[in-house]
Amino acid sequence: MTDAGPLTPDAAGPPTPGAAGSPTPGAAGSPTPGAAGPLTLGTAGHIDHGKTALIGALTGVNTDRLPEEQARGISVVLGYAPLQVPSGRSLSVIDVPGHERFVRTMVAGATGIDMFLMVVAADDGVMPQTVEHAAILRVLGVRRGVIAVTKSDLIEPQPAIEEVRKLLPDPEIVGCSAQTGAGLQELRAAVDRLAAGISSRAAAARGVVLHIDRAFTISGRGTVVTGTLWSGTISHGDTLELLPAGTRVRVRGIEVHNQPLSRAEAGQRVAMNLTGVHFRDVHRGDALAEPGSLRATSTLDCRLDLSDAKHNMQVIVHHGTRHALGRLAALDGDLWQLRLERPLFANSEDRLVVRRPAPAQTLGGGVILDAHASRHGPRPEIVERLRNPSREPGELEAPGEEDDSIPERLRKLPSVDQLADELLEDRISGSGPTPAEAATAARAVLAQRREEILAGESAHSDLKALAKEWLKPSLRRVLNGTGVVIHTNLGRAPLANSAAEAVNALARGYLNLDLDLASGQRTGRHTHLAELLCELTGAEDAIAVNNSAAAVLLAVAALAGPERPIALSRGHLVEIGGGFRMPEIIAQTGTRLIEVGTTNRTHPGDYRRALDAGAKVIMRVHPSNFQTLGYTSEVDIQTLCELGAPVIDDIGSGVLAENMPLLAPEPSVRHSIQAGAAIVCFSGDKLLGGPQAGVMLGAKTAIDACREHPLARALRIGRLPLAALEATLRLYRDPERALNEIPVLAMLNVDPARLWHRARTLAWKTNGELIETTARVGGGALPLLELTGPAVALPDHGKPTQLAAALRVADPPLLTRIHEHRVLVDPRTLPDNALTAAVNVIRHTIDSLTGTNGAAAGPGPSSAAPAAHSIEDVADEQLQSSEVATDSTINPIDNNNRQSFNHQGEADNDTR
């Protein structure tokens, strides 16, 4: 193959028009004059030659949609627009990138076109990417096109015309200007004349093949995929197979250039709303076909026109929107076998492009003769069969059984570089992994897969999806639908907005953590809290450490110790979370523990006898996560403090919201201080509603002893929890504000009417059933309190465990609970701003598990609001963000309420 040459038929002859999967069915045979079926026009040409500006002038659509593209003035991803030509016919336009870094993207766009528009700037003439794009078009068999010489208003175009004529002698050439509009009418007319002589793929009776170039989600619509329909027709309600996953999906809606249609034909640029699959399980390079009609293949016999090709040479093969690393095996002359490390979804007579991976260079391409060949060498009978197209592929040698041995499966694993390259291909506008991160992820996933294969694991894995998952942060925000307000496994108390804002503001720079700004002298970080805590509780002094267990440890170490035994009731020898027991924590300080009383009953005299036996400190521990009922007795804090020894009171949750009757059974911080406790300890992330912290307050001498103890340095609070704790405490200066703005208190104090409205909305939009249930406080607080309220039982189709597990690994994860074999979502722990995200996750998950529209049962509003964004807007927004699109509207698409799924949302006026 030569890099510069006319786009003429290669020696092998053209593929059959409209062959299944063929990207160029209109390029062969006699054209049908005046054919009016769908056609796709693709741009080609060097960077900065004005392809996008020209398409914008012709169509009125700016196909550079990403901010990076607009800022840099270069195309990065494929762009799309409809073009109306003088005859009234509408063509689909694909605008491809011109930069050499994006040749792969150009190939993905070019494989679906019927005709080209080669753009050459008058001031530059033919440039390297002009030549490479022409070569790619030639090997794809796209031979018909028009040449536009842009900037013809600025410079004499004749030299550029003569230069491009040597490269492409046949197409009509039109001089034009996107800026002034000169020549645009002539260019439209030339495209119109060209289109009139090209047969549409829609005329061929072939099976459905669509290679996906984008997948995203639109709130309330679910998964949307886009691509050029290579062959066949797709109608609303059709069932298709998604490859390589093998998932059956149903077509819920179809659009062509933002216009809803009930049917799409080959050659059209299509957007489809699919049910039965989550959009994160669909990737560029996947394919849609009629079930069972398209198979994966990694060994292909081809007729290729290649330059500088050698046997066993490593190459990258591009087909559809997918590419694969592989090697060339020479057969005879222009006959080659491609042996790939990653399967393609191809049919015989499809065309493909072959490139060298390093240095990047297009070697050529050609046509597939046998899409499912067995591995073989240049055997004469096979060469004869390949050169004689009258024989069916495999007539002389049927493909053998695929070798599924462990060595063969290990051999088929992609290289680290290939898998890393796949991860990098989706990197847009700086999002996604860096090359180093991609390589690390690829190495880790491949090592894991090798171990699985060697262990006998036979199931195939989507390595790219696994690598993407590996790259995600381990800590992720989750949606809490369990009804457990203070959920220890989910981080206990969510922060108030003001606390989160304080952390965000102070995390980004330096702060006066241990500095007195007035004097410039070093000071302790506890000064930021001490005055505020004393104001709220009446204590003499206060500090904070990293958690409540640390507070207990420090208090015992500072006031007790090896020479100062501590007295503790046997009813308070509790075990806290993680298997840690109070006696073990005390033992770490070297303090001798004197147990008093019994498990169920302890009296003041028990403590007096312990003091007479040498105890110097008394400790009380609130049994937060359990309660002893019946024949019980314990000593109140007032009586303990009157015994004369310093008292450490570990009250657990730490209630400051004394204006909330629901919390009355919990020990009050202020009550313990007023009783005279030397040190009161409690958690910051339970009923206080702040960050993880251990708050210590009480008598100044006792707090000073803690502040000066060596353990204080090891257990001190960090700067970010300190910022969050200070912001949370400030809210308590206004008790009503604290009830409304601290999430834990707001969830416990929520208006029942609001809670039921939330539940009704959730049930309606997820086809769930509204039931009454009980929620829990959690976090070791008020263990017997039952919070009566509504919940939604989701439609789980008899598989509650499977549904709960799927919701748990969704994006974002939704935690639920199973009660009486049903999956429940409790709206108490789903505030209003999380409700829509929860609905989206539920609908998408049920959709993926059942293959049906899990949300379609809701009646929905009677009419749709005006579209806010096009489908391309939504897709491009999601190229820049990994967040699931959410808004306040979830309206189904159905035959009675036909809505465009071109937008992310509109107003939701439902008040049920």
Side-chain angles (χ1 to χ4, degrees), residues 562-573:
E563 305 300 326
R564 293 176 58 81
I566 192 167
L568 180 63
S569 169
R570 290 185 174 90
H572 295 171
L573 297 176

Side-chain angles (χ1 to χ4, degrees), residues 6 77 86 97 102 123 252 268 313 370 374 392 409 480 519 641 717 772 798 824 828:
V77 298
F102 305 115
D123 55 347
R252 183 183 173 197
Q268 289 182 314
M313 180 179 184
D370 187 350
S374 60
E392 291 296 326
R409 288 162 58 203
N480 181 9
S519 66
C641 293
I717 191 171
E772 189 170 23
L824 302 187
R828 183 181 294 273

Side-chain angles (χ1 to χ4, degrees), residues 3-193:
D3 285 337
L7 299 181
T8 55
D10 57 38
T16 303
S22 173
T24 58
S30 300
T32 304
L39 292 176
T40 299
L41 171 73
T43 64
H46 196 75
I47 186 175
D48 288 336
H49 279 198
K51 295 188 299 299
T52 300
L54 181 59
I55 295 303
L58 289 170
T59 67
V61 176
N62 180 7
T63 57
D64 277 352
R65 312 175 71 86
L66 300 183
E68 180 192 12
E69 293 179 310
Q70 296 173 9
R72 297 171 59 188
I74 66 170
S75 296
V76 175
V77 298
L78 300 174
Y80 309 96
L83 172 62
Q84 196 82 17
V85 291
S87 66
R89 189 176 188 178
S90 182
L91 308 179
S92 294
V93 178
I94 298 180
D95 184 25
V96 306
H99 196 285
E100 62 180 350
R101 288 175 50 202
F102 305 115
V103 169
R104 179 185 304 151
T105 306
M106 182 270 171
V107 174
T111 53
I113 67 175
D114 302 292
M115 50 196 289
F116 66 82
L117 177 63
M118 178 65 75
V119 180
V120 179
D123 55 347
D124 280 342
V126 173
M127 296 292 284
Q129 293 314 118
T130 313
V131 175
E132 183 163 23
H133 284 196
I136 290 170
L137 292 169
R138 181 171 70 84
V139 298
L140 288 174
V142 186
R143 299 184 296 278
R144 294 186 175 89
V146 175
I147 299 171
V149 178
T150 59
K151 305 180 184 178
S152 292
D153 58 325
L154 301 177
I155 192 169
E156 168 57 44
Q158 195 58 38
I161 291 174
E162 294 176 359
E163 191 175 8
V164 74
R165 178 66 70 196
K166 296 177 183 178
L167 176 67
L168 302 169
D170 297 328
E172 183 176 349
I173 301 177
V174 180
C176 58
S177 169
Q179 299 300 318
T180 67
L184 294 186
Q185 289 301 326
E186 292 83 353
L187 183 58
R188 287 191 184 93
V191 171
D192 198 6
R193 288 191 295 273

Side-chain angles (χ1 to χ4, degrees), residues 209-291:
V209 175
L210 183 142
H211 294 275
I212 296 170
D213 53 43
R214 283 190 290 182
F216 50 96
T217 185
I218 296 178
S219 179
R221 308 315 190 256
T223 299
V224 177
V225 301
T226 65
T228 300
L229 185 55
W230 275 28
S231 61
T233 61
I234 297 176
S235 299
H236 183 276
D238 282 355
T239 296
L240 301 175
E241 183 178 15
L242 175 68
L243 299 168
T247 305
R248 298 293 176 94
V249 298
R250 186 172 61 85
V251 179
R252 183 183 173 197
I254 301 172
E255 287 187 10
V256 174
H257 292 303
N258 303 332
Q259 297 301 314
L261 299 177
S262 61
R263 170 189 172 104
E265 298 180 326
Q268 289 182 314
R269 172 72 190 168
V270 180
M272 290 191 295
N273 185 197
L274 303 178
T275 63
V277 66
H278 192 278
F279 84 99
R280 295 196 183 278
D281 296 325
V282 186
H283 312 284
R284 187 174 83 167
D286 290 356
L288 287 169
E290 295 173 29

